Structure formats: C-alpha cells, structure tokens
Amino acid sequence: MASALRLSNAALRPALASASSPARSIAFNGLRAYSSAQPKSLKDTFADNLPREIEKIKTLRKGYGSKVVGEVTLDQVYGGARGIKSLVWEGSVLDSEEGIRFRGRTIPECQEVLPKAEGGQEPLPEGLFWLLLTGEVPSEAQVRALSAEWAARAEIPSFVKELIDRCPSDLHPMAQFSMAVTALEHESAFAKAYAKGMKKSEYWAHTFEDSMDVIAKLPTIAAQIYRNVYKDGKVAPVQKDKDYSFNFANQLGFSSNKDFLELMRLYLTIHTDHEGGNVSAHTTHLVGSALSSPMLSLAAGLNGLAGPLHGLANQEVLNWLQKMKAGVGSDLSDKSITDYLWSTLKSGQVVPGYGHAVLRKTDPRYMAQRDFALKHLPDDEMFKLVSQVYNIAPGVLTEHGKTKNPFPNVDAHSGVLLQYYGLTEASFYTVLFGVSRAIGVLPQLIIDRAVGAPIERPKSFSTEAWAKLVGATL
Ligand code: CMX
C-alpha cells in the first residue's frame, strides 16, 4: 500500500501510454458530439482522479487507522460472516431498508441522470460502469465513446469460440460461460506484463485494459452459448455504431423489438453491483487480491453467481412459477397460491426470489422491473401471477417465521420480463446476470489495483480453537 500511496499523476502516465486503446481512433457514425472534439476518456478520467482518491485513503488511515469499527460475535463467525464489516467497496453501498445506491445514487436517480439510447428511457449500462469506476456521471458523448470502444473490442479469439462450440448442449450455460471467460486469460495484458515484470504503479492500467476487453467480449460469448444451445449456432456480427445492449440483444436474436432493447439496458444496469459482500462480488475481489488476471477473477465470481442461493435464483423463479401454474391449472386463486407456497416450504425448499442476506424491504431492483412491467406488459398473465405472489408470499414467509426478509429480491421478477419477449430459456438467465455483474465488479478490481489493495487473508480457527478463545468447554 505504501508505495502505491506515493503515486502521482506523472508516475501514472507511462502505464497509460503503454496500454493501447484501440477504439480511440474509430469513428462512431451518426453521433454528434465528438467528431470534432473527443470527450475525455474513461481511462484519463480515472487516472486524473486517482491521486486524489489515493490521498483520501492515506489521510483516512493516517488519522483513524487504529479506530475500532465493530465487534464480531461467535454467531457471526458461524453465520456466514453476516454483518461483519471488513471490506472496502467504492461503487455501491446497500442499505437494509432503502436498498442499493450506486456512488450515492438510487436506481431511479440513475435512471434519471445516466445517458440513454436515442429515443430511449432506460439508462445505458456503459454509463453505470463509468459512474462506478470514477464516481462521476458521464456525458452523453463519453458514454457513446465507451459504447464504441466496447464494440471495437467485442471479437473473441477463435479458440474461445471453438471451445464453446465443443461443449455438450446439456452443459449448463453458466459452466460454459465461466469456462470461456477463464480461457480469455490467454489474452490478458495484465498476466503478460506481470510475467515480464512490471511495477505496482502499472498494475491498474493493465487491469483496466483487460476489464474493458473482457466486458466487451462477454455478449459475444454469451450469445454464442445461447445460439448453440437453443438456436442455430449463428451469432450476428457486432455493429460498431450501436450500444452494448443493442448489440447483445441483436447477437441473441432479439433486436427487432424496441421494448426488449430497453429492457436489456435496464437489466444490464441494475444487475451490475450490489456492494462488495455478495458471493460474486466478494469472490472476484478475493481472487483478484492474489493478482490473478481480471479474466480469472471474474470467472471465479461467475462460478459463485451460478449458485441457486445467488444468481441462479432467477432461473429457479421462472421454473417455480411454471410448476405452480402447471400444478394448480386454471385455479390461480389466492388460496391455491398460498397452498403452493406452503408446499414449497414444507418440502424443505426455499421460495426462490424471496429473502436477502442484507435487505429487509422489497428490493428496489425488483421495483424497477415491476415498474417496467406495469408500463410495457401490464396484462401479461405471468406478470399478473408475479404480482399476485408478491401480495401473498411475504405473509406466508412471515408466518413460516424463518426468513429475516419476507420480501422479493431482484430475481423474483427478471425471468417473467424476459419470457414475455420470447427469451424463454430459463437456464440461460444467470448468464445475462453474469454479463451485467462483470460491469459492476470489475471497476472495483481496477480500483483495488490502483490503490494497491493487499492480498486478502482473514484469520480462521477450528471449533476447538474458537471454544478456547471464548472460554467454552466442549
Ligand atoms: N424461503 C424459505 N426459507 C428462507 C428463505 C426463502 N426465500 N429465505 C431465507 N430462508 C430461511 C433460510 O434458509 C434460513 O433457514 P435455516 O435457519 O433453516 O438455515 C432462515 O430463513 C434464515 O435465513 P436469512 O438469515 O433470512 O437469510 P440468509 O441471509 O441466510 O440467506 C438468501 C439469504 C437470499 C440466500 C435466502 O433468503 C434465500 O435462500 N432466498 C431464496 C433464494 C434467492 O432468492 N436467492 C437470490 C438472492 C439474490 C441474489 O443473490 O441474486
């Protein structure tokens, strides 16, 4: 940390200069603002702010480094580290009552201030990436330039496509996704520079380049998996003058519906980041702390996202709703839904899409999707069913008495929106979540490398050793 803290802007420049920025020179057709004057790039914005950010941490630690910030009980140790304050995560903070804020802004505020596609109403995820990394709301021109940069970097190496093509179609899409992201390691600028020998001050610029590359390539990878498993295996080429979500939807085969494009922009924005302690964010950060490349760090996080208690819940929710529909037939009365909820609970399963480790209210990400549904598909049968479950499940879960939060989370709603537009293959849903999550967790990895965050190594004890520590005789 100490050496990183001494960095100045001047020290950062060589790292910037050595890292290529392929999209800088490309023209972005049809867009106004920067044909004559290029807007300040994301990398330059981050580099210019970095000395100030490093100074803040230095001042905080110098003045308050020995301040006690919390107590830890034995229950927390055995209870999944719930509530233990031990991580630094700059992009977002999750309040148990209010929900997520990205750099201090709620989801509705982000919907308001972040740049949109022409004629669109939902924010572009490119803008949220910028906000998470720099703390600043980008201009429209800056976001258009980032769209162009990601489009320019979207092509995947042929061996990665071949790897995906060789997967059996019944290998879960998340396993294929994680494998392909791992294989991108082959392209890692960070790993190559580290092998040659580089200074700590150069870490972040290579991490930035890798993160930009990997985010840019994720839609092509995800679309290849989708088209191989469920369609004809053909993926449309990326259109260099279009935004990230348009290209992703187009590669999946869903670009003809403008509302689906808007859904994609909203979806990819709100699934990005949910502070640092959730499994996918924490894992990416932890693995990254060993200086594994952004590709390997992200792949580790994606493997965590693929668990049913985390991101896979979006797949589980749609399956659960469909099973409910098949089971109760045309009798979708409140009573039959209540009975179905109880049968799920009594069989020892969780109600997917409900509960949360931190939240104690309805997830604002659920509300953002509900608002979208009310606007675009108010009469859809499945949406009505989701709304009915929303009215009933909190009461049942409260009566059941186990979960600390009986309200829905983000995963309770997303599948129903996707199926409305024809993306019905629920086993693919977590891949969409993963594309978005990369946009949320990689900014912190860049920041970690820029501020010289150390390798993580919390202390563990055996049960016997804990007993000794608390004075218990077992
Ligand atoms: N249905 C039934 N039981 C539930 C429940 C639910 N939806 N949510 C929590 N519980 C149970 C827990 O399993 C736990 O039971 P045990 O004491 O028998 O182990 C008890 O209630 C207490 O759990 P908690 O402290 O309220 O919740 P946790 O922090 O342990 O777990 C979560 C949080 C999300 C894993 C849990 O609520 C859950 O399993 N929900 C369903 C799966 C889901 O929707 N996951 C997605 C979360 C969002 C995301 O990451 O994408």
Side-chain angles (χ1 to χ4, degrees), residues 82 278 305 308-311 313 317 345 349-358 360 365 397 400 402-405 409-411 433:
R82 210 65 89 252
N278 67 77
L305 191 72
L309 296 187
H310 191 16
V317 167
L345 292 168
Q349 296 165 55
V350 295
V351 174
Y354 280 75
H356 199 271
V358 178
R360 294 295 173 256
R365 301 172 299 174
L397 284 165
H400 183 241
K402 269 192 170 185
T403 174
K404 296 190 186 73
N405 174 28
N409 60 58
V410 65
D411 296 318
F433 195 158

Side-chain angles (χ1 to χ4, degrees), residues 1 4 200 285 288-289 291 444 447-456:
M1 174 65 97
K200 256 190 159 183
H285 166 77
S289 83
L291 298 184
Q444 185 61 45
I447 294 168
D448 288 342
R449 299 271 160 93
V451 302
I455 187 167
E456 273 190 9

